[in-house]
Amino acid sequence: MTLAKIMRCVTAGLFLAVFAIGLLPFLLVFFLTDVSGLSDLDPTPIYTLVNKFIGGSK
């Protein structure tokens, strides 16, 4: 392998890692709303999760 090919592989791997880590918070919120069954109640899942945890009601 040449140095250029190694650098391309490392750069592509770092880009994919940064992209995956950047998506984790969004995937976590989506997963939590899906598991708790709140995805059909309100279009803003963060608002509904916060309301559920603080005991708010509509």
Side-chain angles (χ1 to χ4, degrees), residues 13 17 45 47 54:
Y47 176 74
I54 63 173

Side-chain angles (χ1 to χ4, degrees), residues 19-40:
F19 183 70
I21 290 172
L23 283 180
L24 281 177
F26 300 105
L27 293 175
L28 181 66
V29 168
F30 179 74
F31 174 73
L32 287 175
T33 56
D34 193 37
V35 167
S36 63
L38 295 174
S39 58
D40 297 331

